[in-house]
């Protein structure tokens, strides 16, 4: 494994593939909104890559110089890269949430953030202030002719896919009410058996409490909610993502507890009051998707199964599929939930002191109600992606953001392609100057092989303080990228996004 020597301030010589000061600059705010054809390109954009990549993430890491406490508290900004006839166009736009508009007008932090951002004035100014900002910063998806910016604790924002103008909040014809949650991790079932084999979008919401309510929403291709059912599970639930199969929605209820007192007293953000419980099991909540007569009315008590395992803390699942009595589920697991300390700055993170996210495969046996697990990737990794037709089905190839080195915790600098059947792995790394983000697999139109397509990802180039949209040939990560599109500026490290074959430019 190649490694790079980077000068450090300390007396011990360390060999790292990254430099923290260089990495940190990828978390500078991008205040400018731009709209241009990308003309600085290495390689060639494939002419059969046609469509639009939408990405979301925190665009502002400060409000008028006042630093926010955690990137999850940063205002949502959409980056759109459109591909047509071998050319690419970039446009970005902040989502005009109420909070964004108000704070930009005030020129200061007005809202408390879930992850610890506080208004000026210390705890007194934040005491019993439960007004949180719907920052719309976690994901963006084009579904049912609607472009939706998602943030898990409140309703989606509706955007114009052409102008990226914020049109308001989306309630799906009254299915959601003011302030209702709608998760940032919808999954597309590529051929839903309840909809005659048409694709459908499956999403959920969590209402946490002493017992928590998980509500499932299924939207048909027109964007209409066609199935909705709610289920109560014991205990507090902090669930960011889930997985689907043709018959089930599967959730990992992380072993955490919530102590609201420091939040109510204005000392800590709500997200900072979630404490990981290392000796407690993870509960695997398996909800049947089977519609029943009243499913559109809600309150259907389909039989939920709860199994137990040990999974540490899970943000993201890669995929799940059914084999006989089993559901196989692939998830990125952390030994514990990295805690956000009140006085600390996330930019000063000591990567070595944290445990890496690693990919595990869980075998959930519905008949015996047992769970077995195996580690399938020990390299620090996050942000899985696969062929959209394989969501909920057995699959061979997984693409995932990864650290450059094989062991330990480090920023994501590369992308790993994994063959889950043979165990073969390939890595393409942007180290030592590049820093990665979520890769997205896009199949080549008309392709038949599972890996015939491209992996698209934004990579922060710390040498030039700009971001590149990198296009990798998914069949072979050992090759040089098909193309590197140099943007005129950087894009702060983002969270999630989606590709649509529809072209918006
Ligand atoms: Co996520």
């Amino acid at each position: 494994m190649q490694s790079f020597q980077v000068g450090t301030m300390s007396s011990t010589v360390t060999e790292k593939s990254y430099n923290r000061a260089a990495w940190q600059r990828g978390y500078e705010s991008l205040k400018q909104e731009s709209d241009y054809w990308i003309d600085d390109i290495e390689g060639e954009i494939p002419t059969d890559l046609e469509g639009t990549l939408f990405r979301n993430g925190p665009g502002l890491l400060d409000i008028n110089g006042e630093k926010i406490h955690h990137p999850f508290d940063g205002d949502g900004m959409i980056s759109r890269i459109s591909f047509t006839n071998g050319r690419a166009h970039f446009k970005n736009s902040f989502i005009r949430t109420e909070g964004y508009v108000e704070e930009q007008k005030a020129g200061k932090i007005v809202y408390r953030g879930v992850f610890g951002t506080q208004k000026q004035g210390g705890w007194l100014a934040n005491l019993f202030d439960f007004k949180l900002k719907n920052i719309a910063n976690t994901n963006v998806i084009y579904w049912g002719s609607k472009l939706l910016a998602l943030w898990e604790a409140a309703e989606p924002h509706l955007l114009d896919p052409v102008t990226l103008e914020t049109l308001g909040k989306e309630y799906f014809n009254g299915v959601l009410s003011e302030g209702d949650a709608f998760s940032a991790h919808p999954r597309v079932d590529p051929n839903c058996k309840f909809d005659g084999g048409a694709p459908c979008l499956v999403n959920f919401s969590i209402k946490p409490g002493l017992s928590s309510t998980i509500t499932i929403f299924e939207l048909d291709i027109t964007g209409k909610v066609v199935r909705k059912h709610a289920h109560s599970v014991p205990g507090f639930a902090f669930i960011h993502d889930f997985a689907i199969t043709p018959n089930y929605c599967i959730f990992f209820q992380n072993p955490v507890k919530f102590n609201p007192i420091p939040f109510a007293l204005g000392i800590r953000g709500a997200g900072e009051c979630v404490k990981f419980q290392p000796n407690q099991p993870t509960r695997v909540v398996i909800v049947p998707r089977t519609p029943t007569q009243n499913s559109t009315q809600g309150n259907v008590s389909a039989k939920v199964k709860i199994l137990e395992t040990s999974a540490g803390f899970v943000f993201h699942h890669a995929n799940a599929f059914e084999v006989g009595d089993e559901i196989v589920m692939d998830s990125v697991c952390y030994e514990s939930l990295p805690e956000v300390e009140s006085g600390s700055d996330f930019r000063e993170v000591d990567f070595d002191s944290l445990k890496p996210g690693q990919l595990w495969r869980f075998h959930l046996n519905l008949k015996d109600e047992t769970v077995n697990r195996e580690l399938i990737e020990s390299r620090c990794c996050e942000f899985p992606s696969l062929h959209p037709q394989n969501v909920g089905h057995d699959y061979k190839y997984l693409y995932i953001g990864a650290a450059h080195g094989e062991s330990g915790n480090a920023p994501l600098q590369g992308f790993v392609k994994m063959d889950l059947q043979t165990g073969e792995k390939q890595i393409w790394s942007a180290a030592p100057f590049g820093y990665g983000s979520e890769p997205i697999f896009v199949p080549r139109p008309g392709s038949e092989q599972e890996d015939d397509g491209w992996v698209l990802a934004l990579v922060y180039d710390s040498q030039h303080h700009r971001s590149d949209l990198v296009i990798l040939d998914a069949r072979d990560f050992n090759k040089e990228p098909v193309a590197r599109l140099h943007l005129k500026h950087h894009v702060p490290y983002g969270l999630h996004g989606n590709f649509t074959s529809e072209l918006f430019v």
Side-chain angles (χ1 to χ4, degrees):
M1 179 55 55
Q2 208 179 355
S3 68
F4 297 87
Q5 189 121 359
V6 177
T8 64
M9 300 294 281
S10 78
S11 54
T12 11
V13 177
T14 53
E15 279 191 30
K16 287 194 193 303
S17 63
Y18 64 93
N19 172 295
R20 195 173 65 179
W23 167 80
Q24 281 171 346
R25 293 204 63 204
Y27 270 127
E28 288 180 8
S29 296
L30 173 66
K31 299 193 176 172
Q32 194 75 32
E33 293 182 322
S34 313
D35 191 338
Y36 58 92
W37 287 96
I38 302 166
D39 52 18
D40 190 357
I41 296 167
E42 283 175 60
E44 273 181 35
I45 302 172
T47 49
D48 44 0
L49 174 57
E50 180 93 5
T52 313
L53 175 68
F54 290 104
R55 296 208 45 80
N56 198 352
L60 290 185
L61 286 307
D62 71 282
I63 309 291
N64 216 8
E66 251 184 87
K67 279 186 181 178
I68 63 157
H69 188 66
H70 193 282
F72 293 172
D73 283 344
D75 286 298
M77 183 194 79
I78 304 298
S79 296
R80 185 189 72 191
I81 297 141
S82 321
F83 300 92
T84 181
N85 295 318
R87 299 183 70 203
H89 180 275
F90 178 88
K91 181 175 170 67
N92 71 313
S93 185
F94 281 94
I95 300 147
R96 267 59 178 181
T97 62
E98 284 161 34
Y100 173 85
V101 171
E102 207 178 317
E103 291 189 329
Q104 290 304 303
K105 208 167 135 195
K108 62 176 188 184
I109 294 171
V110 177
Y111 286 80
R112 298 179 70 185
V114 171
F115 289 90
T117 301
Q118 304 275 37
K119 296 185 291 185
Q120 277 181 353
W123 65 272
L124 203 56
N126 292 283
L127 183 69
F128 298 122
D129 182 353
F130 299 113
K131 189 174 69 167
L132 292 172
K133 188 171 157 190
N134 177 350
I135 42 178
N137 71 356
T138 314
N139 201 349
V140 56
I141 189 165
Y142 184 73
W143 184 262
S145 307
K146 285 175 179 169
L147 185 64
L148 301 169
L150 304 173
W151 183 63
E152 67 194 33
E155 60 271 68
H157 280 78
L158 180 67
L159 310 172
D160 182 318
V162 178
T163 63
L164 297 184
E165 188 192 342
T166 306
L167 303 173
K169 290 178 192 161
E170 175 63 34
Y171 294 96
F172 304 109
N173 275 324
V175 172
L176 296 184
S177 305
E178 173 87 37
D180 272 359
F182 192 71
S183 128
H185 273 285
R187 300 269 173 180
V188 176
D189 179 342
N191 32 32
C192 174
K193 60 188 253 188
F194 311 119
D195 294 339
C200 83
L201 187 83
V202 188
N203 201 12
F204 68 97
S205 72
I206 301 287
K207 197 172 176 193
L210 292 176
S211 68
S212 302
T213 304
I214 299 177
T215 304
I216 313 280
F217 304 88
E218 301 209 4
L219 286 69
D220 68 9
I221 40 174
T222 69
K224 185 177 166 219
V225 177
V226 286
R227 288 174 290 282
K228 179 188 170 195
H229 38 105
H231 308 271
S232 179
V233 295
F236 176 78
F238 181 35
I239 299 173
H240 174 69
D241 190 12
F242 76 141
I244 60 167
T245 68
N247 293 296
Y248 300 99
C249 295
I250 308 106
F251 300 84
F252 276 21
Q253 190 179 1
N254 290 304
V256 295
K257 72 173 183 193
F258 182 69
N259 173 6
I261 295 165
F263 172 66
L265 293 179
I267 302 164
R268 285 172 156 254
E272 295 173 300
C273 299
V274 175
K275 285 269 173 266
F276 184 70
Q277 304 294 298
N279 303 317
Q280 297 293 316
T282 294
R283 287 204 201 108
V284 181
V285 180
I286 303 164
V287 182
R289 288 175 58 196
T290 321
T292 62
Q293 277 179 332
N294 294 318
S295 60
T296 51
Q297 313 301 317
N299 303 316
V300 175
S301 52
K303 211 167 173 334
V304 172
K305 223 172 225 229
I306 298 182
L307 311 183
E308 288 191 352
T309 185
S310 175
F313 191 89
V314 175
F315 283 107
H316 296 125
H317 303 285
N319 197 18
F321 54 92
E322 300 166 23
V323 187
D325 293 330
E326 270 188 8
I327 296 172
V328 177
M329 178 120 162
D330 296 336
S331 311
V332 180
C333 304
Y334 295 81
E335 249 180 57
S336 68
L337 169 68
E339 283 185 18
V340 191
E341 293 300 328
S342 297
S344 69
D345 185 339
F346 70 89
R347 297 163 188 88
E348 303 300 327
V349 60
D350 174 12
F351 285 100
D352 294 327
S353 72
L354 298 173
K355 295 287 184 206
Q358 297 174 317
L359 190 72
W360 289 76
R361 173 160 282 191
F362 295 84
H363 297 266
L364 318 172
N365 192 307
L366 300 178
K367 204 170 158 201
D368 304 347
E369 308 208 341
T370 55
V371 181
N372 286 304
R373 60 179 187 140
E374 54 185 313
L375 180 63
I376 52 178
E377 177 59 78
S378 59
R379 184 192 296 261
C380 171
C381 59
E382 196 36 288
F383 296 131
S385 176
L386 66 149
H387 194 300
Q389 280 298 327
N390 289 87
V391 172
H393 301 279
D394 194 2
Y395 66 127
K396 185 170 162 74
Y397 296 113
L398 181 72
Y399 313 92
I400 192 163
H404 177 80
E406 279 180 277
S407 62
N409 182 51
L412 304 180
Q413 291 191 282
F415 305 100
V416 167
K417 175 190 182 184
M418 299 173 59
D419 181 328
L420 298 167
Q421 286 164 11
T422 66
E424 265 177 81
K425 288 161 199 174
Q426 291 182 330
I427 181 167
W428 180 82
S429 172
F433 303 113
Y435 297 92
S437 62
E438 177 187 62
I440 292 181
F441 174 81
V442 178
R444 185 189 308 277
S447 63
E448 283 174 7
Q449 297 297 318
E450 189 183 323
D451 61 348
D452 187 3
W454 308 278
V455 168
L456 310 181
L458 279 170
V459 172
Y460 172 63
D461 170 359
S462 63
Q463 260 189 318
H464 298 93
H465 188 50
R466 70 180 178 199
S467 296
D468 290 345
L469 190 284
V470 174
I471 305 174
L472 295 171
D473 183 338
R475 290 170 302 187
D476 190 357
F477 273 24
N478 291 328
K479 288 201 298 199
E480 280 301 298
V482 177
R484 281 184 91 127
L485 287 53
H486 304 303
L487 303 184
K488 296 178 193 291
H489 45 80
H490 81 298
V491 174
Y493 302 120
L495 293 166
H496 303 290
N498 285 279
F499 183 86
T500 168
S501 56
E502 292 208 36
L503 179 65
F504 299 104
V505 69

